[in-house]
Amino acid sequence: MDQKPFLFSLSLIFFILQTTVNAASFSVGGGVGLGVGVGAGGGRGGWVGGGVNYPNPSDPNPPSNLKNAYIALQAWKSAISSDPKGILSSWVGSNVCGYHGVFCADPNDETGDPSPPVVAGIDLNHGNLEGILVKELSLLTDLSLLHLNSNRFSGTIPQTFNSLFALTELDLSNNQFTGPFPLSTLQIPNLLYLDLRFNSFSGPIPQDLFNKNLDAIFLNNNFFSGEIPQNLANSPASVINLANNKLTGAIPVNFGYSSPKLKEILFMNNQLTGCIPQGIGMWSDVQVFDASFNSLMGHLPDSVSCLEDIEVLNVAHNKLSGELPDLVCELRSLLKLSVAYNFISGFSQECAKLYDKNVGFDFALNCIPGLQMQRPEPDCNSVPGGGLSCLRIPSLRPLACGTLLESLNSSAP
């Protein structure tokens, strides 16, 4: 196998990380994120494009990789039926490096490799293009970035995408794609960033997704259904967004045992049931946990108090009960805590102090005696999930974070 595309993609990692290292921050606030756009061109790493004549457009024998790029892009152009912004008007002739939204890179600038320039990035974000993706795109074997956010592409993802050996970022968000989860994306060997949100994908989420070395996974606002795969904790991603789908069943019980890099996890607006696993406390670096608008039951685990970097903790609109643990309200980084629309029966003075810390604290429509804006008393006489066992580690007092790992390990089978 030719290693050139792989080595070249590694040389662009610094450039890529400038756009994805903070990917988690794009999804705060309801699980609806922004598309990431790259394509300034002419900057770092010898990137050129957007009308630059490079290489010589009159060259009768352009390099073979640019010939393949021409074949691929012309096949794709013919499959695009609407271009209201006239983006493709520049897609004429063999000088693909001059096509709007197409960015070439010179390997010689990065690695000293004497190879000719290659098509390394395509950014057609917000193009409002209508059409499909074609199998000939697999000829772009040096492509590192493919960003198609906010268009009207439809159909399915070609199986031939597994040939995009150098691809590290794939953003297909806010389009009209349909069908099951595109398994071909999981066969792209060096993919780091996968964004499928705001489409019409449906069916189950494949288990292999969480075994892949992805740093960001955005699946929100689709029609994915079924249970969350039990290997969720295997993922090394820093952000996982599963919000606004039709997922059912429980959050995997091993949730928290792995994935030390996780910064954000969003389950909001699905149909999840069962408990919030105690292992949540293992993710000491997590900053956003949003499981609102589900049907989760039981008590909020004491281990939540171990989330020292948590900024947003939202479990509103569930069926949680019991008292809000004192230590949860003492979390030092907390900016927003919402337990509204549950069956919480009380909280301590520590929670009352949150207002003095300018923390957004919402406890409306629970079952807390003596407070306003609570549920009518008859609603609180029958708490959902009263007989539910959440497999908590027995403890006479709130679980100390310093001993959480030891306790979980000793109780694991």
Side-chain angles (χ1 to χ4, degrees):
M1 179 180 294
D2 186 2
Q3 296 297 312
K4 278 187 179 180
F6 176 62
L7 293 174
F8 177 63
S9 71
L10 286 180
S11 72
L12 294 175
I13 285 296
F14 174 78
F15 177 85
I16 295 160
L17 289 179
Q18 300 305 305
T19 63
T20 57
V21 70
N22 292 320
S25 64
F26 294 118
S27 62
V28 176
V32 177
L34 303 175
V36 175
V38 173
R44 303 185 188 93
W47 285 62
V48 297
V52 177
N53 290 327
Y54 175 56
N56 185 350
S58 62
D59 186 353
N61 296 302
S64 60
N65 49 10
L66 293 184
K67 286 182 181 179
N68 287 337
Y70 174 77
I71 294 171
L73 295 174
Q74 288 300 315
W76 191 18
K77 179 182 178 181
S78 67
I80 295 176
S81 57
S82 178
D83 177 18
K85 296 184 178 182
I87 291 173
L88 304 185
S89 62
S90 64
W91 287 31
V92 178
S94 61
N95 178 31
V96 295
C97 296
Y99 289 8
H100 182 93
V102 177
F103 298 91
C104 292
D106 189 343
N108 186 54
D109 289 350
E110 290 285 342
T111 65
D113 189 334
S115 299
V118 298
V119 172
I122 295 177
D123 176 13
L124 297 176
N125 283 353
H126 305 282
N128 199 24
L129 297 167
E130 181 178 1
I132 62 172
L133 304 184
V134 295
K135 66 180 187 302
E136 286 85 356
L137 289 172
S138 62
L139 294 173
L140 301 173
T141 53
D142 297 287
L143 191 68
S144 183
L145 313 174
L146 179 57
H147 290 173
L148 303 179
N149 173 287
S150 300
N151 285 282
R152 290 176 288 149
F153 289 112
S154 59
T156 57
I157 313 305
Q159 183 62 39
T160 54
F161 265 40
N162 59 8
S163 299
L164 297 176
F165 186 80
L167 194 66
T168 57
E169 294 188 19
L170 179 61
D171 183 355
L172 303 178
S173 60
N174 198 21
N175 279 283
Q176 299 170 8
F177 292 111
T178 57
F181 185 99
L183 294 177
S184 58
T185 62
L186 301 184
Q187 298 168 1
I188 301 173
N190 294 297
L191 195 66
L192 297 174
Y193 179 97
L194 178 62
D195 193 342
L196 302 180
R197 59 190 148 174
F198 291 97
N199 280 287
S200 296
F201 292 112
S202 58
I205 295 174
Q207 181 171 314
D208 286 348
L209 173 66
F210 299 118
N211 290 330
K212 189 164 178 63
N213 189 33
L214 292 168
D215 182 63
I217 300 172
F218 293 98
L219 303 187
N220 53 289
N221 296 81
N222 279 281
F223 298 97
F224 290 116
S225 58
E227 296 189 0
I228 299 172
Q230 292 299 306
N231 67 331
L232 170 67
N234 289 356
S235 176
S238 61
V239 54
I240 300 175
N241 194 335
L242 306 179
N244 302 313
N245 280 288
K246 297 183 177 182
L247 299 172
T248 56
I251 298 174
V253 70
N254 64 350
F255 175 80
Y257 273 82
S258 187
S259 192
K261 293 169 50 181
L262 190 70
K263 299 294 184 183
E264 295 191 15
I265 180 77
L266 296 102
F267 298 111
M268 68 169 289
N269 197 24
N270 279 285
Q271 301 164 25
L272 301 177
T273 56
C275 306
I276 296 177
Q278 192 168 25
I280 182 177
M282 295 287 289
W283 277 333
S284 58
D285 293 331
V286 74
Q287 297 172 351
V288 176
F289 177 81
D290 192 333
S292 59
F293 291 91
N294 283 287
S295 295
L296 299 172
M297 299 182 186
H299 297 184
L300 195 65
D302 291 333
S303 60
V304 171
S305 64
C306 300
L307 303 178
E308 295 183 352
D309 291 335
I310 192 78
E311 296 177 2
V312 177
L313 177 57
N314 189 355
V315 292
H317 292 267
N318 279 287
K319 300 177 181 179
L320 300 172
S321 56
E323 293 193 2
L324 189 61
D326 297 355
L327 295 176
V328 172
C329 297
E330 296 177 352
L331 290 166
R332 63 185 183 186
S333 301
L334 201 59
L335 300 176
K336 176 184 176 181
L337 171 61
S338 181
V339 295
Y341 290 85
N342 280 287
F343 292 85
I344 302 296
S345 58
F347 61 78
S348 70
Q349 288 300 313
E350 291 300 323
C351 295
K353 295 177 183 178
L354 289 175
Y355 295 110
D356 298 330
K357 301 177 182 178
N358 293 320
V359 173
F361 179 34
D362 189 356
F363 57 84
L365 290 171
N366 278 282
C367 296
I368 304 173
L371 295 182
Q372 296 180 345
M373 298 180 63
Q374 299 298 293
R375 290 180 180 273
E377 186 173 343
D379 289 358
C380 298
N381 290 336
S382 179
V383 176
L388 184 67
S389 173
C390 288
L391 301 176
R392 304 294 190 217
I393 297 174
S395 179
L396 296 177
R397 56 189 176 84
L399 195 61
C401 296
T403 62
L404 178 60
L405 178 59
E406 181 181 349
S407 300
L408 287 173
N409 286 339
S410 64
S411 65

